[in-house]
Amino acid sequence: MKKIEEIISKAAENDTLDVKRFLFGSMDFTTLKCTDSEQSVMAFVERVNAWDNEHPDLPHPAAVCVYPCFAEIVNECLDVEGVEIACVSGGFPSSQTFAEVKTVETALALKDGATEIDMVLSVGKFLSGDMESVTDEIKEMKSVCDGYGAKLKVILETGCLVTEDNIRKASRIAMEAGADFIKTSTGKEKIGATPEAALWMCEEINEYYKRENRKVGFKAAGGINTSMDAVIYYTIVKEVLGKDWLCHDLFRIGTSRLADILIEELKD
């Protein structure tokens, strides 16, 4: 049996109410639609505020994730303490824009209240072998984030990297360039998060920690539609990285669908 199959076979034992509560608190509750507007984002944030009042037994989501132009609105409307404001930035979702535009967009989002930035690794440059540019862009984005005390998540877009070697190499480059998290996917490509990619990424996080004694977080996103999907990623992190990574500072799930599912299952 392949290693990933062995790990997934253990997921059922983690399909518990306590794990689901933890997963609810690990969500980057996300809206990234072309139809997003000030009004829709305000309503989206009000859902988070309402959960805090209606479900006091549940943890709050780890973050609200939006486009950079909505950081100020989230900052103004979010009433729940401890929820981060995450913004996708740097030419999301393709990363196909000027490096200068990426850093300016990021600085504007942070100025407006973002506390976390999700950037996309320049996959085209990576696949063409230009690792120096890929590394430099991440370092520049990290520098901007550091100026505001914000965390940087680097999205690898694993469905486009395709191979194990590419996913492992991209993980190493992102971490060595300063990423606080590595993240599977944007959710905008045909292939989002997969257990195989998550396994390879977590193994690289583990090896990096052994070398550098710095803990890098893991975020799964893209196609997480059921509570069992989330439990599988929880199980991968638990088995590969251990209980130290089972905290909201080091484990995240990016989703727009999962919240209501978890609430219903926790009510039953």
Side-chain angles (χ1 to χ4, degrees):
M1 183 182 289
K2 291 192 296 186
K3 185 173 183 179
I4 190 60
E5 293 170 349
E6 293 176 358
I7 292 174
I8 291 173
S9 72
K10 299 178 182 180
E13 65 191 52
N14 295 316
D15 189 16
T16 67
L17 293 180
D18 284 344
V19 168
K20 289 176 182 178
R21 287 189 186 93
F22 171 79
L23 290 169
F24 191 88
S26 300
M27 290 188 308
D28 282 5
F29 188 50
T30 302
T31 181
L32 297 172
K33 302 174 183 175
C34 66
T35 55
D36 284 343
S37 64
E38 292 186 5
Q39 292 74 22
S40 71
V41 171
M42 287 174 64
F44 190 78
V45 174
E46 283 305 318
R47 292 178 65 187
V48 177
N49 293 336
W51 289 332
D52 198 52
N53 295 321
E54 296 167 6
H55 306 284
D57 56 322
L58 290 180
H60 57 67
V64 173
C65 184
V66 296
Y67 282 111
C69 55
F70 298 119
E72 185 174 14
I73 292 169
V74 177
N75 194 32
E76 291 173 352
C77 298
L78 186 61
D79 295 332
V80 186
E81 291 187 9
V83 178
E84 304 290 346
I85 301 172
C87 285
V88 295
S89 186
F92 182 92
S94 68
S95 195
Q96 298 285 17
T97 189
F98 300 102
E100 294 85 353
V101 171
K102 295 180 182 184
T103 55
V104 169
E105 182 183 43
T106 299
L108 289 171
L110 294 166
K111 179 176 177 291
D112 282 348
T115 58
E116 298 181 347
I117 294 295
D118 290 33
M119 68 167 287
V120 185
L121 177 139
S122 289
V123 177
K125 291 178 181 177
F126 178 94
L127 293 176
S128 65
D130 187 2
M131 305 307 170
E132 183 176 357
S133 293
V134 172
T135 300
D136 287 347
E137 283 188 357
I138 297 170
K139 286 181 176 179
E140 288 173 11
M141 294 284 276
K142 174 63 173 171
S143 178
V144 176
C145 289
D146 283 348
Y148 288 84
K151 289 184 177 179
L152 177 65
K153 307 188 195 91
V154 177
I155 306 167
L156 306 186
E157 201 65 283
T158 54
C160 293
L161 294 177
V162 182
T163 69
E164 177 180 352
D165 284 348
N166 281 344
I167 292 168
R168 288 185 181 276
K169 185 173 184 178
S171 298
R172 292 193 296 269
I173 287 173
M175 290 187 289
E176 289 163 4
D180 298 296
F181 274 77
I182 52 175
K183 173 179 169 182
T184 58
S185 320
T186 62
K188 301 299 185 182
E189 295 290 334
K190 288 183 179 180
I191 300 174
T194 65
E196 291 81 4
L199 171 62
W200 300 328
M201 291 167 67
C202 287
E203 287 179 339
E204 290 300 327
I205 289 171
N206 192 37
E207 290 301 314
Y208 180 80
Y209 175 64
K210 290 177 182 177
R211 290 195 309 272
E212 303 295 336
N213 197 32
R214 183 173 79 89
K215 292 178 179 177
V216 174
F218 169 78
K219 178 177 174 179
I224 300 171
N225 299 318
T226 69
S227 60
M228 183 49 72
D229 290 338
V231 169
I232 286 170
Y233 291 108
Y234 172 97
T235 303
I236 293 169
V237 170
K238 179 182 178 182
E239 294 296 320
V240 178
L241 294 169
K243 292 183 179 179
D244 283 356
W245 263 260
L246 296 179
C247 63
H248 307 145
D249 286 338
L250 292 169
F251 176 76
R252 299 285 181 86
I253 296 285
T255 183
S256 59
R257 303 179 183 92
L258 190 61
D260 290 335
I261 294 170
L262 288 174
I263 286 174
E264 286 301 311
E265 293 183 6
L266 289 166
K267 282 165 53 180
D268 291 341

